[in-house]
């Protein structure tokens, strides 16, 4: 079955440090992959997505992710964390050839001053 | 452009009571989704509409949950009767095009339901 695994339900980084949120997927077809962010008391917002083409995808707010087929990974990174990045981040996969997406359990990012 | 609107934002009920949630998608968006997000988990799709027709309701507990999208715009999700395990955030999302892989889904703020 197609699925998404996010390593670490909570991640803490210091302000200005590198952010790395890990995501591994399984898919029986070439995957479409997404990262969504959820700020407190708000809905989910698309950060970035990979469909085809360039494997390094740039998103909003300085985030980027790299699709690595050999590792079945789609890790999210940001070079320098900001306090406003504190939120919950969801990795998701589109496992079929339609618009349905399957979400991971999420990783809550904490930014330490 | 106004986003996806949901109401109420919070609801507390006792088990066996009924509850209804309302969603107004972004104007012109053909596809509407209802998700259930239990604490500590990612959103799980309950039902998907294409205009006013149901595309997928395979994950909807039909013995207690129902949903409709009259006139292909607003939608309501109802639970009757509620169980303790229905406590969750109910998210509505919409998408502009018809079942296209890679579509961005636009989410509302959600309704947090607590069943006592």
């Amino acid at each position: 079955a197609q699925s998404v695994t996010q390593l670490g339900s909570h991640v803490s980084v210091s302000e200005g440090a590198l952010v790395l949120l890990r995501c591994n997927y399984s898919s029986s077809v070439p995957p479409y992959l997404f990262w969504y962010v959820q700020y407190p008391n708000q809905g989910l917002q698309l950060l970035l997505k990979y469909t085809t083409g360039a494997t390094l995808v740039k998103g909003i707010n300085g985030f980027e992710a790299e699709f690595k087929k050999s590792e079945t990974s789609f890790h999210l990174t940001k070079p320098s964390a900001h306090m406003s990045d504190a939120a919950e981040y969801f990795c998701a996969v589109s496992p079929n050839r339609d618009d349905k997406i399957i979400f991971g359990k999420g990783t809550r990012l904490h930014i330490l001053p | 452009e106004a986003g996806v609107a949901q109401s109420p934002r919070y609801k507390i009920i006792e088990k066996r009571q009924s509850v209804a949630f309302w969603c107004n998608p972004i104007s012109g968006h053909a596809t509407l989704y209802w998700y259930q997000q239990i604490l500590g988990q990612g959103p799980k799709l309950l039902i998907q509409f294409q205009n006013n027709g149901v595309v997928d309701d395979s994950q909807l507990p039909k013995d207690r949950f129902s949903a409709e999208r009259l006139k292909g715009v607003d939608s309501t999700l109802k639970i009757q009767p509620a169980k303790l395990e229905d406590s969750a955030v109910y998210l509505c999302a919409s998408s502009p095009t018809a079942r296209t892989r890679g579509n961005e889904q636009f989410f509302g703020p959600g309704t947090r339901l607590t069943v006592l």
Side-chain angles (χ1 to χ4, degrees):
Chain A
Q2 290 76 15
S3 67
V4 173
T5 302
Q6 293 185 240
L7 298 178
S9 57
H10 292 265
V11 170
S12 295
V13 301
S14 298
E15 191 174 19
L18 172 71
V19 175
L20 171 60
L21 303 183
R22 299 178 186 273
C23 173
N24 289 88
Y25 69 89
S26 66
S27 178
S28 58
V29 300
Y32 283 19
L33 295 158
F34 309 79
W35 277 99
Y36 278 83
V37 61
Q38 186 175 31
Y39 297 103
N41 297 317
Q42 296 185 28
L44 281 73
Q45 178 184 6
L46 182 67
L47 268 181
L48 50 81
K49 66 179 179 181
Y50 168 79
T51 55
T52 58
T55 57
L56 181 63
V57 181
K58 296 186 183 298
I60 62 173
N61 301 337
F63 284 92
E64 61 183 36
E66 186 171 11
F67 169 60
K68 293 186 176 180
K69 182 178 179 181
S70 61
E71 299 177 7
T72 62
S73 69
F74 191 57
H75 301 331
L76 182 70
T77 60
K78 181 175 180 177
S80 177
H82 191 272
M83 296 300 290
S84 61
D85 296 327
E88 186 144 25
Y89 293 79
F90 292 92
C91 183
V93 63
S94 175
N96 301 313
R97 301 193 185 279
D98 59 20
D99 59 341
K100 291 184 182 50
I101 55 177
I102 296 173
F103 287 91
K105 292 187 175 182
T107 297
R108 184 166 296 277
L109 177 63
H110 304 271
I111 309 298
L112 308 174
Chain B
E1 178 183 77
V4 177
Q6 291 188 248
S7 66
R9 293 295 310 277
Y10 305 91
K11 190 73 176 179
I12 300 174
I13 62 172
E14 295 188 349
K15 60 183 180 184
R16 291 187 290 272
Q17 286 188 322
S18 302
V19 65
F21 313 127
W22 174 80
C23 173
N24 186 11
I26 293 173
S27 177
H29 279 198
T31 308
L32 186 146
Y33 313 80
W34 281 102
Y35 288 87
Q36 181 191 58
Q37 185 180 13
I38 293 173
L39 186 65
Q41 299 182 22
K44 182 187 81 170
L45 181 68
L46 291 176
I47 188 168
Q48 177 181 350
F49 292 92
Q50 187 68 38
N51 297 310
N52 61 345
V54 175
V55 172
D56 183 355
D57 62 358
S58 59
Q59 299 296 306
L60 188 74
K62 298 180 187 64
D63 57 333
R64 297 183 301 105
F65 287 65
S66 64
E68 61 182 7
R69 190 183 184 197
L70 298 176
K71 301 180 181 179
V73 183
D74 294 8
S75 178
T76 56
L77 176 69
K78 297 179 181 177
I79 308 175
Q80 179 178 9
K83 293 185 176 182
L84 296 176
E85 58 261 34
D86 298 331
S87 294
V89 176
Y90 291 84
L91 295 166
C92 179
S94 68
S95 177
T97 54
R99 306 195 71 189
T100 302
R101 195 180 186 210
N103 267 355
E104 177 177 356
Q105 296 184 20
F106 295 82
F107 285 80
T111 296
R112 183 178 298 277
L113 174 67
T114 302
V115 182
L116 302 175

